[in-house]
Amino acid sequence: MSGSSAPRRIRVAQIMGTVVSVTVVGDLDDSLVDRASEECFADLRRVDRTFSTYRPESDVSRIARGALTIDAADPEVREVADACREAEVATTGLFSASWSGGFDPTGYVKGWAVERAARRFIAPLVDRPGVIAAGVNAGGDMQLFTADGSDWTWNVGIADPRHPASVLATVPVRTGAVATSGSAERGAHVIDPRSGEPVSGVASVTVIADRLTDADLWATVGMVAGFDDLSWIAKAPSHTGMSVSDDGRVRRWIDGTEVSVDVVRAVVQPF
């Protein structure tokens, strides 16, 4: 079956303050799609109940109030806290879950949770006969899978942060992850952990990697580093990406090397 003619089954839920969708491309019984999607959604809801900074009863909120310690919380909190400390070292402080003196894993936990749920509940679907591809999209952050031997390619549009209805570039992805951090939807919500102030000068950063955990983390790092500083891309375990300044300038890189706008335009869909 050609990917272009394959049916798509999409399931949608509102979780973590955003829209999460599961897409399955190919022939698969609706009941199997429903079950895998609901298992994925249920896992994300459980993570949200543990890590949400907006839910007063979450483990993270209770830790912030001093009503719970990390070691006494859900074991996944310790797992994330350890990963955040490693990320702080790897990013030389451009990411920190403890910048405020407490514990706030925002900027890490969403990508981690979505990738984990996608790999556990959605990725196995591509091994079923008739399924070409499957993926999870959480507010534009995606973990995508394509069956071996399939001609399917996910064509992911990167929105212009100044004009969200417009697309700046299209990213062809077979199996991998795409994450965008920016101010278009939620305003200046990304905090520079070094100053405690919202970042400025950069409107969005998109990172393409194998794992959504990495893509989401390093897109946030790119926002904090700012438009003029791409030194971080040499440390990021990512393939390529794009940064957009507040005034609309664009910088793009492939395999850790920046490419000029003219070079990018000369190659069809260079990502």
Side-chain angles (χ1 to χ4, degrees):
M1 179 188 300
S2 169
S4 60
S5 61
R8 299 192 195 187
R9 291 169 171 81
I10 301 173
R11 304 294 185 266
V12 179
Q14 188 81 24
I15 310 171
M16 294 180 169
T18 192
V19 176
V20 180
S21 62
V22 170
T23 299
V24 179
V25 183
D27 287 325
L28 187 65
D29 187 90
D30 281 339
S31 65
L32 297 177
V33 177
D34 290 341
R35 184 173 67 187
S37 299
E38 283 307 315
E39 288 174 334
C40 178
F41 296 152
D43 192 61
L44 293 176
R45 291 189 184 100
R46 183 188 56 76
V47 170
D48 191 41
R49 288 193 298 270
T50 301
F51 289 94
S52 173
T53 58
Y54 298 100
R55 294 173 176 262
E57 74 281 6
S58 75
D59 284 19
V60 165
S61 293
R62 293 168 63 201
I63 290 168
R65 295 197 303 270
L68 185 69
T69 65
I70 289 178
D71 287 332
D74 186 295
E76 289 180 349
V77 175
R78 168 55 65 190
E79 177 185 345
V80 168
D82 290 344
C84 286
R85 279 197 295 273
E86 293 175 3
E88 184 169 356
V89 173
T91 65
T92 58
L94 292 174
F95 168 84
S96 174
S98 58
W99 65 270
S100 63
F103 174 62
D104 181 0
T106 303
Y108 179 88
V109 75
K110 177 187 173 186
W112 166 81
V114 173
E115 179 192 345
R116 190 183 62 166
R119 292 189 183 278
R120 181 177 179 184
F121 301 110
I122 305 305
L125 298 180
V126 301
D127 294 328
R128 290 183 171 272
V131 176
I132 293 172
V136 180
N137 180 347
D141 294 342
M142 309 176 195
Q143 185 73 57
L144 307 170
F145 309 97
T146 299
D148 293 340
S150 167
D151 65 356
W152 177 264
T153 297
W154 299 91
N155 290 306
V156 181
I158 301 176
D160 184 337
R162 301 189 305 160
H163 308 284
S166 301
V167 174
L168 286 177
T170 301
V171 183
V173 177
R174 283 186 56 80
T175 294
V178 181
T180 297
S181 182
S183 57
E185 293 186 4
R186 296 174 55 193
H189 70 286
V190 178
I191 302 297
D192 186 335
R194 301 166 298 181
S195 66
E197 299 294 329
V199 302
S200 61
V202 57
S204 72
V205 176
T206 298
V207 171
I208 297 90
D210 293 332
R211 302 173 59 234
L212 185 54
T213 304
D214 293 331
D216 190 28
L217 169 66
W218 288 92
T220 300
V221 168
M223 289 287 294
V224 173
F227 183 77
D228 295 325
D229 181 6
L230 289 184
S231 62
W232 58 273
I233 67 176
K235 296 176 284 188
S238 62
H239 303 310
T240 189
M242 180 170 72
S243 177
V244 184
S245 71
D246 285 342
D247 59 11
R249 290 172 294 149
V250 176
R251 302 182 74 177
R252 312 186 197 197
W253 60 94
I254 300 173
D255 292 332
T257 301
E258 185 173 12
V259 293
S260 70
V261 173
D262 288 340
V263 170
V264 170
R265 289 175 178 168
V267 182
V268 178
Q269 309 304 353
F271 292 112

